[in-house]
Amino acid sequence: MKLLLYLIFPSIVMGDDVVAFTKGRATHEHLTHGEILTFDKTITNINAYFSADGKFVCSTPGLYAFHFYAVTKSNEHVWLELFRNDDYIVSIYGRTPSDYVDAGNSVFLNLDENDKIYIKAHDNYDTVIYGAGDQVYTTFTGVLLATSSATAFNAFSAGLTHSIALTTNQRISFDRLITNRGTPTYDKSTGTFTAASSGFYIFHYHALATSDDELWLDLFYNGQYINSAYGKTPNEYADAGNTAIINLKTGDLLSVRSRRTGGLYGDIGTHQTYTTFSGSMLPLSSIEYDDGSTAEVAFSVGLSANHTMAQGHTVIFDRIFINHLSGYDTNTGKFTAKYSGIYVFHFHALSQSDKPIWIELYHNFIYVNSIYAHVPTGYVTGSNSASLELLQGDEVFLDIKSHDTALYGAPNQIYCTFSGYLLALLPQYRPIIG
């Protein structure tokens, strides 16, 4: 089976059906009550338009994925909210009395033309964000997954609007359906997602523990364990999340369960949503061969053992959830782009006890962004994401920044993950069927 590519005129720009951006904060920021968060570093911008006040303005209607992360320093809050126009969508919260803490969330949204998406501080609290030129922790990523005309495209986002006490092996039922596109896919009465069609799917789940409680969540696929999110902050609310890409068949089931007792936070009075579960098909038009068959570029890997490496070493993941077209090398820890295009990456990590997380994402040897967190005498989590424009042969990988970084993992405790997929080919490379 042979893939044929031809080169078209380089003056042709990418069509409006491809939208991708990643923005970052390369300086500290202090937001007052209700102030909109703006970003001073552009990592990627493909057909993404922003208003003068920092809002993403939709020019191509369709299904979008949005991801936002932030880090705050000791004794400060990060309390941010994602809005669509004047409608509240989801929140992130983080605080620690000592050192630094991370928080994040993801959501899929159907947008109409001129809809505006933005992040702002909570109306009643200041937010302090940490950033520097070579330390970009706070980011905002958005990508168009499917245009409005792509009717056979399934996706959902669900959230928890009230606090719940967790029991062991409890399936989490997210009561607020934020998005449910295509054939009904998520049943909030049972907390179960059912795949309406076969294909590659990406799943994100994020959670906020009730104060001084433990959150320990697992993602299950047809009763099979995939990965976990863990968080506990003494006398505070802990944030944690994870991502996985899975090849599903029609009728396959996904759910998020609690590992043991604990508590998840939500505010039923104000519908504040911190704990979410989202899933979507990945774009299906990535690579086409001369016999008419298609192949998607996607990988999702995890760490199934403790990992302690010196500064400057690449994190090598040993658990393979999916590695379609073998872009991820388990010997080097690097993903190599086989096709020039726009790619999206997600990474999550959990430290060993009393150790910091400090990991950096690199495109070749160019720094992109980071995760950092540390809570003394406990485990701490961190996450980030980025959309990147890659040429054939480019490498993307995660490096250890600090010699103190020690990552936690075990065969049935996968917290540290690295996932990526091809969103669209670059315009100068078009598949043709011979």
Side-chain angles (χ1 to χ4, degrees):
M1 194 161 52
K2 183 179 179 183
L3 174 65
L4 300 178
L5 299 174
Y6 71 93
L7 186 67
I8 64 175
F9 296 108
S11 60
I12 295 180
V13 296
M14 189 163 285
D16 289 342
D17 58 345
V18 179
V19 180
F21 71 86
T22 296
K23 300 280 190 176
R25 283 294 314 183
T27 54
H28 303 323
E29 176 73 307
H30 185 143
L31 300 177
T32 57
H33 299 189
E35 184 178 354
I36 292 175
L37 174 61
T38 58
F39 297 87
D40 55 5
K41 181 179 178 66
T42 296
I43 297 171
T44 302
N45 192 319
I46 308 295
N47 294 328
Y49 303 97
F50 285 81
S51 62
D53 57 353
K55 299 177 181 178
F56 167 72
V57 182
C58 176
S59 59
T60 303
L63 176 73
Y64 284 78
F66 294 103
H67 316 279
F68 63 114
Y69 299 96
V71 165
T72 192
K73 59 184 180 180
S74 178
N75 282 319
E76 302 289 356
H77 290 90
V78 55
W79 197 343
L80 298 172
E81 300 175 330
L82 183 74
F83 270 73
R84 174 178 55 199
N85 302 321
D86 295 326
D87 298 325
Y88 165 82
I89 305 297
V90 294
S91 300
I92 63 173
Y93 177 86
R95 186 180 183 277
T96 176
S98 55
D99 224 321
Y100 297 78
V101 69
D102 164 280
N105 219 327
S106 297
V107 68
F108 299 128
L109 295 174
N110 287 311
L111 300 188
D112 294 324
E113 188 173 2
N114 294 321
D115 277 352
K116 295 181 179 180
I117 303 294
Y118 56 98
I119 301 166
K120 72 178 190 67
H122 190 282
D123 285 339
N124 299 322
Y125 293 88
D126 285 5
T127 281
V128 173
I129 289 170
Y130 185 91
D134 59 346
Q135 298 182 52
V136 179
Y137 310 104
T138 298
T139 64
F140 182 25
T141 294
V143 298
L144 173 63
L145 292 176
T147 61
S148 296
S149 60
T151 55
F153 198 92
N154 300 316
F156 78 94
S157 281
L160 188 68
T161 64
H162 59 283
S163 297
I164 59 173
L166 298 174
T167 59
T168 301
N169 200 34
Q170 175 184 347
R171 186 185 296 127
I172 310 302
S173 295
F174 298 84
D175 61 304
R176 179 187 169 207
L177 201 53
I178 300 168
T179 300
N180 205 26
R181 177 180 171 129
T183 302
T185 55
Y186 179 77
D187 185 345
K188 63 182 183 179
S189 65
T190 64
T192 302
F193 164 82
T194 304
S197 57
S198 299
F200 291 88
Y201 288 75
I202 188 166
F203 294 92
H204 309 281
Y205 60 107
H206 297 267
L208 186 70
T210 46
S211 181
D212 205 31
D213 273 336
E214 182 180 58
L215 73 87
W216 194 349
L217 302 180
D218 297 329
L219 180 66
F220 274 83
Y221 153 61
N222 288 343
Q224 174 185 344
Y225 169 78
I226 300 296
N227 60 29
S228 302
Y230 179 87
K232 187 177 191 303
T233 302
N235 303 311
E236 270 295 346
Y237 302 78
D239 171 277
N242 218 328
T243 295
I245 299 175
I246 307 172
N247 189 4
L248 300 184
K249 293 181 172 56
T250 302
D252 282 350
L253 305 175
L254 271 290
S255 62
V256 176
R257 304 180 190 176
S258 59
R259 177 73 66 105
R260 62 187 187 198
T261 58
L264 299 179
Y265 183 81
D267 191 329
I268 195 168
T270 60
H271 297 286
Q272 289 181 13
T273 304
Y274 306 87
T275 300
T276 62
F277 181 30
S278 300
S280 173
M281 300 177 70
L282 291 179
L284 300 178
S285 60
S286 299
I287 305 296
E288 187 169 324
Y289 291 93
D290 59 347
D291 66 353
S293 63
T294 60
E296 295 76 36
V297 178
F299 76 95
S300 190
V301 295
L303 193 64
S304 67
N306 288 342
H307 183 99
T308 303
M309 297 290 289
Q311 179 177 344
H313 281 72
T314 298
V315 182
I316 298 177
F317 297 86
D318 62 334
R319 178 67 60 85
I320 306 297
F321 306 125
I322 190 171
N323 192 17
H324 200 55
L325 300 188
S326 302
Y328 180 80
D329 189 330
T330 55
N331 294 314
T332 65
K334 296 180 178 181
F335 169 80
T336 302
K338 295 190 174 184
Y339 309 101
S340 299
I342 308 302
Y343 291 77
V344 185
F345 297 93
H346 300 273
F347 55 110
H348 305 264
L350 179 74
S351 73
Q352 296 176 34
S353 182
D354 199 28
K355 295 292 185 179
I357 297 171
W358 198 350
I359 298 174
E360 297 181 330
L361 179 69
Y362 278 87
H363 171 197
N364 295 327
F365 291 97
I366 301 171
Y367 169 76
V368 179
N369 60 24
S370 307
I371 57 177
Y372 180 86
H374 181 230
V375 175
T377 71
Y379 302 84
V380 69
T381 186
S383 305
N384 219 324
S385 65
S387 60
L388 296 174
E389 181 178 330
L390 305 185
L391 297 177
Q392 186 179 29
D394 281 0
E395 294 179 331
V396 178
F397 54 94
L398 298 172
D399 259 10
I400 299 292
K401 174 65 175 178
S402 167
H403 68 275
D404 290 330
T405 295
L407 304 180
Y408 189 91
N412 67 340
Q413 297 186 50
I414 310 295
Y415 308 97
C416 304
T417 64
F418 185 28
S419 302
Y421 62 92
L422 173 63
L423 180 71
L425 289 168
L426 287 180
Q428 62 264 40
Y429 295 97
R430 298 291 189 189
I432 60 173
I433 301 174

